[in-house]
Amino acid sequence: MTTLLSAEGLHKSFGKTSALDGAGIAIREGEVVAIMGPSGSGKSTLLHCLAGILPPDSGTVTYRGQDLTAMTDNARSELRRTEFGFVFQFGQLVPELTCLENVALPLRLSGMKRKDAERASRDWMERLEVDTVADQRPGETSGGQGQRVAVARALVTAPKVVFADEPTGALDSLNGERVMHLLTTAARETGAAVVLVTHEARVAAYSDREVVVRDGRSRDVEFVR
Amino acid sequence: MVCIVLLMSIGHALLGLLEGGPRHGYDLKRAYDERFGQDRPLHYGQVYSTLSRLLKNGLVSEAGVEAGDGPERKRYAITDAGVTDVERWLGTPEKPEPYLQNTLYAKVVLALLSGRSATEVLDTQRAAHLRAMRDLTRRKVDGDLADQLICDFALFHLEADLRWLELTAARLDALAEEVAR
Ligand SMILES: Nc1ncnc2c1ncn2[C@@H]1O[C@H](COP(=O)(O)OP(=O)(O)OP(=O)(O)O)[C@@H](O)[C@H]1O
Ligand SMILES: [Mg+2]
C-alpha cells in the first residue's frame, strides 16, 4: 500500500506551550489509524496539522506528493473540501439547516445541483441509518443520530481521508460503537483512509493500527520502520 | 489464575532483584515481599526451589558460601544468561488476559530498578492488548448477538487493563522516585 498522507518533524507551539515536538506519522491509502495518547499530548494538534487546518511551525505534511505547508491558503481549502472529510466531537452541523441539507452542504458548495446533492445525501443517510431524521434539524436529533449525520456529511464527497477527532466522545458505549462500526465499514467500502483521534481503547479497536502521541511526539511503528 | 501468573514470574522477579547485586536467599525473600508480596509473601520453600531451578538453568550462580551448612548460607548472583533472560521477559508482552496486574506491576518496578525503560514495557504491553481488542472487535462485528456479548465482556476487561497501563505510564516519574527510595 502506498503512503497517502504523511508528516515529518512537526513542531507547533501555542505561545510558550509546545503542542508538537517532532511528531511524525504516515497514513496509507484506505487504512484506519487511531491516534491515541493522554489528554494534552498533542493529538488534536497533530490531526489539525495533517488536515491542513493548522500550519505547523516547522516540519512537513505531504499529501500525495504535495507539500501542504507550501500550498496557498486557497489551494489548501480546495484540497480539504474535495479530498478530506471531517467528523468532530460536536458542534459541526449547521443548526438552521435540516439534517439532509447539512449532509448535502459540501456537495452544494462544490456546485452540485440541489436535487442531485440531496439524492446522494439520502443514500448516505440510509447507509448510516439516519434517513428517518432527514427533515429534522440537528437540535431535534439524539447525540448518536447527530454524529451519524456528521459521518454521512463527511463521506458524501467520497473523500480520500476522513479525519475524526473523538467522534464518539459525547456518546454512550452502545451509540459510540454504532458510529464506529458504520464509519469504519463505510470508509472501508469506499476506500477512504480514516485518521481517528480517541483516548478510548474500545473505539481504537475499530482501527487497523494505532499511533501513540506522548508529549507532542508520536510513536508510529510503521513510520519508524 | 492470579496465583499461577504470580508463580510464573517469581523466577524473573528474583532475577531482576539480583541485578542489584548478589544476595542470600532470605535477603531475596525480604526484598521480594517488600516490593511485590503485599498480601502474598513468598514461602522460604518457594524461594529456594526457584533458586535451585535458576541455578540448574545457569541463570544464577553461587557467589560464596558462608561457614555452616544449609541453603541459607549461600549467596546467589545473576549470570549473563540471567540478565538476557530478564531482558527478554521485560521485552515480551504478557498474553492479554485478565488478572495480569501482579506480573505487569513487577515488570514495571524491575525495569525502573534496573534503569531500563518502563515506558517501553508499558508500550509493548499496550500494543499487545490493543491487538487482542482489535481481533475481538472484528469477531464481534462479524458475529451474532451472542458473539457480540461474549466479545464485549472480554473487551471491557482488556480495556480495564489498558486504563491501568495508561495511568501507570502517567505516574512513572512518581513511581521511579518511590522505587529508588
Ligand atoms: N489553540 C490553542 N491555544 C493554546 N494552546 C493550545 C491550543 N490548542 C492546543 N493547545 C495546547 O497544546 C497542547 C496539546 O493540545 P491538544 O489539543 O493537541 O491535545 P490533545 O491530545 O488533543 O488533548 P485532549 O485529549 O484533551 O483533546 C495542550 O497543552 C494544549 O493546552
Ligand atoms: Mg483533542
Side-chain angles (χ1 to χ4, degrees):
Chain A
M1 274 285 187
T2 50
T3 297
L4 182 66
L5 173 65
S6 64
E8 226 169 318
L10 291 186
H11 289 261
K12 179 75 190 177
S13 295
F14 299 99
K16 282 194 180 131
T17 312
S18 163
L20 293 181
D21 182 21
I25 192 169
I27 313 287
R28 289 170 298 186
E29 274 174 22
E31 73 171 343
V32 181
V33 178
I35 298 180
M36 305 190 71
S39 183
S41 58
K43 304 182 295 292
S44 296
T45 307
L46 176 58
L47 181 130
H48 291 153
C49 287
L50 275 175
I53 295 172
L54 198 66
D57 298 337
S58 64
T60 53
V61 178
T62 312
Y63 176 72
R64 290 182 144 175
Q66 295 172 277
D67 183 356
L68 243 65
T69 53
M71 285 177 154
T72 64
D73 284 354
N74 277 343
R76 224 177 5 245
S77 309
E78 174 70 10
L79 183 76
R80 276 204 303 271
R81 201 166 52 73
T82 54
E83 309 270 296
F84 297 168
F86 295 90
V87 185
F88 297 111
Q89 188 170 342
F90 30 50
Q92 52 199 315
L93 298 173
V94 183
E96 292 82 11
L97 300 180
T98 66
C99 289
L100 180 65
E101 287 164 345
N102 263 286
V103 176
L105 191 59
L107 295 177
R108 298 281 291 142
L109 289 175
S110 301
M112 195 186 275
K113 286 209 194 83
R114 179 186 203 95
K115 237 175 100 188
D116 296 337
E118 293 196 344
R119 186 167 339 107
S121 300
R122 262 185 212 285
D123 283 351
W124 272 106
M125 293 185 84
E126 264 168 45
R127 281 172 86 160
L128 288 153
E129 302 166 11
V130 278
D131 44 318
T132 48
V133 298
D135 300 323
Q136 278 155 248
R137 288 177 212 289
E140 300 160 355
T141 66
S142 75
Q145 287 168 336
Q147 278 315 71
R148 282 181 280 134
V149 171
V151 171
R153 191 181 65 175
L155 289 165
V156 75
T157 55
K160 284 276 171 237
V161 192
V162 176
F163 295 93
D165 194 347
E166 301 281 4
T168 64
L171 305 180
D172 64 24
S173 300
L174 200 56
N175 276 293
E177 302 250 347
R178 197 155 167 220
V179 166
M180 281 317 298
H181 175 51
L182 291 166
L183 167 62
T184 49
T185 307
R188 292 205 162 99
E189 280 168 13
T190 59
V194 179
V195 182
L196 165 75
V197 166
T198 182
H199 62 267
E200 281 182 86
R202 273 177 312 105
V203 172
Y206 281 87
S207 68
D208 299 318
R209 62 186 183 92
E210 80 273 6
V211 171
V212 180
V213 182
R214 246 183 226 125
D215 298 329
R217 291 163 182 276
S218 48
R219 231 184 113 103
D220 185 348
V221 180
E222 307 279 319
F223 189 67
V224 169
R225 205 173 37 183
Chain B
M1 173 70 81
V2 173
C3 227
I4 295 169
V5 169
L6 197 61
L7 278 175
M8 286 196 313
S9 63
I10 287 178
H12 287 116
L14 295 187
L15 281 176
L17 291 171
L18 281 176
E19 285 197 292
R23 291 177 193 253
H24 288 98
Y26 64 79
D27 245 7
L28 262 181
K29 174 192 152 43
R30 272 222 314 266
Y32 181 98
D33 288 349
E34 209 173 282
R35 297 214 181 261
F36 311 121
Q38 277 80 356
D39 42 3
R40 222 180 265 274
L42 287 182
H43 303 295
Y44 279 106
Q46 271 176 300
V47 176
Y48 290 114
S49 63
T50 306
L51 280 171
S52 69
R53 178 170 56 80
L54 296 175
L55 196 60
K56 207 177 72 202
N57 294 337
L59 303 179
V60 301
S61 59
E62 283 175 18
V65 186
E66 285 168 23
D69 44 33
E72 61 279 6
R73 306 281 176 192
K74 283 181 200 154
R75 270 153 57 94
Y76 295 86
I78 189 166
T79 61
D80 288 348
V83 173
T84 307
D85 199 55
V86 172
E87 245 153 43
R88 191 168 39 227
W89 177 61
L90 289 177
T92 311
E94 300 298 316
K95 190 163 175 289
E97 57 192 16
Y99 313 119
L100 280 174
Q101 62 276 51
N102 290 304
T103 308
L104 293 182
Y105 174 73
K107 278 188 170 181
V108 169
V109 169
L110 287 168
L112 290 173
L113 273 175
S114 61
R116 293 187 180 88
S117 168
T119 307
E120 195 83 26
V121 171
L122 292 169
D123 275 352
T124 304
Q125 192 62 51
R126 171 206 184 87
H129 265 65
L130 254 169
R131 214 173 305 127
M133 289 182 73
R134 243 181 233 122
D135 290 343
L136 285 162
T137 301
R138 231 168 280 143
R139 251 175 69 196
K140 178 169 93 169
V141 163
D142 298 333
D144 56 17
L145 184 56
D147 288 329
Q148 286 174 27
L149 292 174
I150 289 165
C151 290
D152 272 332
F153 184 86
L155 279 165
F156 278 113
H157 279 84
L158 291 174
E159 185 188 33
D161 281 2
L162 261 175
R163 289 167 83 156
W164 180 86
L165 291 171
E166 265 154 34
L167 209 62
T168 306
R171 288 170 171 167
L172 271 184
D173 290 347
L175 183 62
E177 257 173 50
E178 217 169 282
V179 161
R181 245 190 268 143

